[in-house]
Amino acid sequence: MAPLQHEFQFIESIRQKLSAHPRLTVGIGDDAALVNFPRQPDDRQSGCLVTVDMLMDGVDFTVPPATPRQIGWKSLAVNLSDIAAMAGRPVACVASVALPRHNGFTLGQGMMEGIAACAERFGVALAGGDTNTWDGPLVISITVLGEPTSKGPVLRSGAVPGDWIMATGSFGGSIAGKHLDFTPRVEEALALHAAANLHAMIDVSDGLAADLWHILDESRVGAILDAASIPLSVEAAACRDEKTPLEHALSDGEDFELLFTVSPADGQALLDKRPFDTQLTHIGQITAARDCLLKSADGNLTSLPALGWKHGFK
Ligand code: ADP
Ligand code: MG
């Protein structure tokens, strides 16, 4: 067997070895899991969404320039973004921190202020955690528990040919600051879920192309993305380096926007109704062919690989 190169092969290897569990309605492979806590024997609605993300100094942020408060905000917000991707409501969180022995107390206090600010903004309870010190850099892992709405969670696997592909916000250049200070799209996800029949949804953490591929793989479909309609962030549009602004938008990652699919009728109704102020754009179509194509302004089609961030192995 070829050596494992990145996190997704590792995750797939875990997934293949696991058998179904009667209490797991949604398991590995989506933005959050749904664990069932039945109140009656036939009750499959009383579920808890659960998601965890670990952030490491030098990978997900660098201190400085990132402030302890920004790190705290980001470490909870990335998890809220995953609950949003399931169209769920975040309820509570627990935080585990590995603080550097040198200056870790002050760093930790600032970080907890950032977590508290984000928790308060989204009405999430900080229910507990674990504190360690060591000679390594700052590492923080937050687990968030949430609840699906009465319409149930939105999975990555529900896209069907003909669907519109839509996205909130704009893409690219998050490294300029958005990756630390973004607002997770919790309210937007709930508004979309209430207003339309969402077929599939993911939050864009790895990159627009990479995360679209997660929807395509889980739904066993393809897509055509319309290059001219992809909303470029101000930062991506201003980039003057080896990548074009469009390449930044497709591959930078950490936009923490929602990428979802709906029927064309629902998509048009959402554009007409505008359920929130955040930008909402129709950026492409789901197709039956298992491929992802990028359509340029002059109508040319090129294959779009899963450009984006992956944790790798050496
Ligand atoms: P996201 O980008 O939405 O945070 P990830 O790419 O980190 O999602 O993870 C994809 C899926 O793999 C999720 O369902 C996650 O719970 C699962 N996963 C990741 N790492 C592990 C692991 N070490 N053990 C079990 N499941 C994992
Ligand atoms: Mg996610």
Side-chain angles (χ1 to χ4, degrees):
M1 193 180 101
L4 291 176
Q5 288 175 323
H6 58 75
E7 59 174 315
F8 298 114
Q9 293 168 329
F10 178 76
I11 294 167
E12 196 51 39
S13 74
I14 305 171
R15 201 174 170 183
Q16 278 172 8
K17 287 188 194 110
L18 290 178
S19 43
H21 190 284
R23 297 290 294 272
L24 203 54
T25 315
V26 180
I28 294 176
D30 219 303
D31 294 288
L34 183 61
V35 184
N36 192 227
F37 291 88
R39 296 206 185 97
Q40 266 110 45
D42 60 346
D43 178 8
R44 286 185 54 84
Q45 292 299 320
S46 309
C48 176
L49 291 168
V50 58
T51 185
V52 59
D53 246 310
M54 184 167 71
L55 272 61
M56 295 166 292
D57 187 2
V59 178
D60 303 282
F61 55 82
T62 311
V63 231
T67 65
R69 197 184 158 91
Q70 283 178 315
I71 296 159
W73 176 281
K74 177 174 182 177
S75 56
L76 178 54
V78 294
N79 283 286
L80 300 187
S81 182
D82 278 323
I83 298 290
M86 308 298 283
R89 289 190 206 95
V91 176
C93 67
V94 288
S96 294
V97 295
L99 300 172
R101 252 185 261 279
H102 176 70
N103 201 31
F105 196 96
T106 313
L107 184 63
Q109 279 183 320
M111 200 175 61
M112 293 313 291
E113 277 173 27
I115 294 174
C118 188
E120 194 182 327
R121 165 71 178 76
F122 289 95
V124 173
L126 176 58
D130 188 32
T131 301
N132 297 262
T133 62
W134 70 329
D135 292 321
L138 174 65
V139 180
I140 170 161
S141 171
I142 298 192
T143 300
V144 171
L145 309 175
E147 60 188 4
T149 71
S150 56
K151 285 179 92 172
V154 180
L155 309 187
R156 295 177 178 181
S157 56
V160 293
D163 276 2
W164 279 17
I165 303 169
M166 301 185 78
T168 60
S170 60
F171 293 86
S174 74
I175 194 70
K178 185 183 177 187
H179 80 109
L180 290 169
D181 294 324
F182 69 95
T183 303
R185 300 302 190 194
V186 174
E187 284 142 13
E188 289 83 351
L190 292 170
L192 289 167
H193 200 34
N197 182 12
L198 305 179
H199 290 173
M201 188 151 68
I202 191 168
D203 66 316
V204 177
S205 51
D206 298 328
L208 181 55
D211 286 317
L212 175 60
W213 265 108
H214 287 312
I215 288 186
L216 304 184
D217 286 339
E218 294 301 318
S219 302
R220 299 175 191 283
V221 291
I224 298 179
L225 269 195
D226 183 10
S229 67
I230 293 171
L232 306 177
S233 69
V234 173
E235 293 75 18
C239 274
R240 295 284 172 270
D241 54 21
E242 71 287 354
K243 284 203 233 170
T244 65
L246 178 63
E247 284 166 347
H248 277 286
L250 290 168
S251 65
D252 281 356
E254 298 221 304
D255 305 290
F256 298 106
E257 297 295 347
L258 297 169
L259 179 66
F260 62 97
T261 84
V262 282
S263 71
D266 271 6
Q268 190 57 58
L270 286 172
L271 291 182
D272 294 342
K273 262 192 260 166
R274 294 271 158 194
F276 40 69
D277 291 338
T278 305
Q279 191 175 352
L280 185 63
T281 316
H282 170 206
I283 61 170
Q285 270 74 238
I286 295 293
T287 59
R290 288 282 288 120
D291 195 4
C292 186
L293 299 170
L294 185 66
K295 187 170 158 195
S296 64
D298 57 14
N300 274 345
L301 294 172
T302 49
S303 264
L304 181 63
L307 305 169
W309 167 260
K310 294 183 188 84
H311 288 281
F313 298 104
K314 281 185 184 159

